[in-house]
Tab-separated table of all heavy atoms in Angstrom:
chain	number	residue	atom	x	y	z
A	29	ALA	N	-5.479	-20.077	-14.369
A	29	ALA	CA	-4.438	-19.666	-15.312
A	29	ALA	C	-4.663	-20.307	-16.681
A	29	ALA	O	-4.498	-19.656	-17.720
A	29	ALA	CB	-3.062	-20.034	-14.766
A	30	LEU	N	-5.037	-21.568	-16.681
A	30	LEU	CA	-5.313	-22.257	-17.944
A	30	LEU	C	-6.515	-21.629	-18.638
A	30	LEU	O	-6.487	-21.410	-19.862
A	30	LEU	CB	-5.571	-23.740	-17.678
A	30	LEU	CG	-6.002	-24.571	-18.900
A	30	LEU	CD1	-4.935	-24.528	-19.987
A	30	LEU	CD2	-6.306	-26.009	-18.484
A	31	ARG	N	-7.547	-21.326	-17.877
A	31	ARG	CA	-8.737	-20.698	-18.459
A	31	ARG	C	-8.399	-19.350	-19.075
A	31	ARG	O	-8.868	-19.014	-20.171
A	31	ARG	CB	-9.810	-20.549	-17.375
A	31	ARG	CG	-11.136	-20.031	-17.916
A	31	ARG	CD	-12.285	-20.281	-16.940
A	31	ARG	NE	-12.069	-19.596	-15.674
A	31	ARG	CZ	-11.813	-20.227	-14.528
A	31	ARG	NH1	-11.716	-21.545	-14.492
A	31	ARG	NH2	-11.653	-19.528	-13.415
A	32	LEU	N	-7.562	-18.564	-18.414
A	32	LEU	CA	-7.157	-17.263	-18.943
A	32	LEU	C	-6.323	-17.421	-20.217
A	32	LEU	O	-6.506	-16.677	-21.189
A	32	LEU	CB	-6.362	-16.494	-17.884
A	32	LEU	CG	-7.135	-16.036	-16.648
A	32	LEU	CD1	-6.188	-15.451	-15.612
A	32	LEU	CD2	-8.206	-15.021	-17.026
A	33	ALA	N	-5.399	-18.379	-20.186
A	33	ALA	CA	-4.536	-18.593	-21.352
A	33	ALA	C	-5.360	-19.027	-22.566
A	33	ALA	O	-5.152	-18.526	-23.684
A	33	ALA	CB	-3.472	-19.642	-21.024
A	34	LEU	N	-6.295	-19.943	-22.351
A	34	LEU	CA	-7.133	-20.412	-23.461
A	34	LEU	C	-8.056	-19.297	-23.950
A	34	LEU	O	-8.355	-19.206	-25.146
A	34	LEU	CB	-7.956	-21.624	-23.021
A	34	LEU	CG	-7.137	-22.894	-22.724
A	34	LEU	CD1	-8.045	-24.013	-22.243
A	34	LEU	CD2	-6.351	-23.332	-23.961
A	35	HIS	N	-8.503	-18.445	-23.043
A	35	HIS	CA	-9.331	-17.304	-23.438
A	35	HIS	C	-8.543	-16.374	-24.356
A	35	HIS	O	-9.072	-15.899	-25.374
A	35	HIS	CB	-9.793	-16.537	-22.190
A	35	HIS	CG	-10.490	-15.251	-22.511
A	35	HIS	ND1	-11.800	-15.192	-22.968
A	35	HIS	CD2	-10.047	-13.955	-22.461
A	35	HIS	CE1	-12.124	-13.924	-23.180
A	35	HIS	NE2	-11.089	-13.156	-22.875
A	36	LEU	N	-7.287	-16.106	-24.001
A	36	LEU	CA	-6.454	-15.238	-24.836
A	36	LEU	C	-6.237	-15.837	-26.221
A	36	LEU	O	-6.200	-15.114	-27.222
A	36	LEU	CB	-5.105	-14.993	-24.151
A	36	LEU	CG	-5.133	-14.052	-22.939
A	36	LEU	CD1	-3.779	-14.037	-22.249
A	36	LEU	CD2	-5.521	-12.640	-23.373
A	37	LEU	N	-6.105	-17.149	-26.274
A	37	LEU	CA	-5.893	-17.809	-27.569
A	37	LEU	C	-7.112	-17.684	-28.477
A	37	LEU	O	-6.984	-17.715	-29.709
A	37	LEU	CB	-5.568	-19.291	-27.352
A	37	LEU	CG	-4.164	-19.609	-26.818
A	37	LEU	CD1	-4.020	-21.097	-26.576
A	37	LEU	CD2	-3.100	-19.115	-27.791
A	38	ARG	N	-8.283	-17.537	-27.863
A	38	ARG	CA	-9.508	-17.412	-28.669
A	38	ARG	C	-9.715	-15.984	-29.177
A	38	ARG	O	-10.570	-15.746	-30.020
A	38	ARG	CB	-10.730	-17.841	-27.846
A	38	ARG	CG	-10.768	-19.334	-27.535
A	38	ARG	CD	-12.141	-19.745	-27.030
A	38	ARG	NE	-12.476	-19.089	-25.769
A	38	ARG	CZ	-12.203	-19.592	-24.567
A	38	ARG	NH1	-11.578	-20.767	-24.472
A	38	ARG	NH2	-12.552	-18.946	-23.477
A	39	GLN	N	-8.953	-15.036	-28.637
A	39	GLN	CA	-9.088	-13.645	-29.052
A	39	GLN	C	-8.192	-13.353	-30.252
A	39	GLN	O	-7.338	-14.164	-30.626
A	39	GLN	CB	-8.708	-12.707	-27.893
A	39	GLN	CG	-9.405	-12.998	-26.589
A	39	GLN	CD	-10.910	-13.040	-26.717
A	39	GLN	OE1	-11.520	-12.088	-27.205
A	39	GLN	NE2	-11.528	-14.140	-26.281
A	40	GLN	N	-8.414	-12.190	-30.845
A	40	GLN	CA	-7.509	-11.758	-31.898
A	40	GLN	C	-6.115	-11.562	-31.307
A	40	GLN	O	-5.965	-11.221	-30.134
A	40	GLN	CB	-7.994	-10.454	-32.522
A	40	GLN	CG	-9.303	-10.576	-33.272
A	40	GLN	CD	-9.708	-9.273	-33.942
A	40	GLN	OE1	-9.063	-8.242	-33.782
A	40	GLN	NE2	-10.790	-9.331	-34.699
A	41	MET	N	-5.093	-11.784	-32.097
A	41	MET	CA	-3.721	-11.702	-31.603
A	41	MET	C	-3.432	-10.343	-30.979
A	41	MET	O	-2.660	-10.233	-30.023
A	41	MET	CB	-2.723	-11.980	-32.727
A	41	MET	CG	-1.267	-11.971	-32.260
A	41	MET	SD	-0.101	-12.386	-33.574
A	41	MET	CE	-0.486	-14.121	-33.825
A	42	SER	N	-4.061	-9.301	-31.496
A	42	SER	CA	-3.804	-7.952	-30.984
A	42	SER	C	-4.158	-7.824	-29.500
A	42	SER	O	-3.560	-7.023	-28.783
A	42	SER	CB	-4.588	-6.919	-31.788
A	42	SER	OG	-5.986	-7.171	-31.711
A	43	VAL	N	-5.128	-8.617	-29.035
A	43	VAL	CA	-5.538	-8.557	-27.627
A	43	VAL	C	-4.405	-9.042	-26.733
A	43	VAL	O	-4.022	-8.387	-25.762
A	43	VAL	CB	-6.804	-9.395	-27.380
A	43	VAL	CG1	-7.144	-9.431	-25.892
A	43	VAL	CG2	-7.979	-8.836	-28.179
A	44	GLY	N	-3.839	-10.205	-27.071
A	44	GLY	CA	-2.733	-10.752	-26.285
A	44	GLY	C	-1.485	-9.879	-26.371
A	44	GLY	O	-0.780	-9.688	-25.370
Side-chain angles (χ1 to χ4, degrees):
L30 175 60
R31 186 163 61 249
L32 292 173
L34 293 178
H35 172 77
L36 287 173
L37 286 177
R38 291 194 297 270
Q39 309 306 306
Q40 294 183 355
M41 183 177 291
S42 60
V43 175

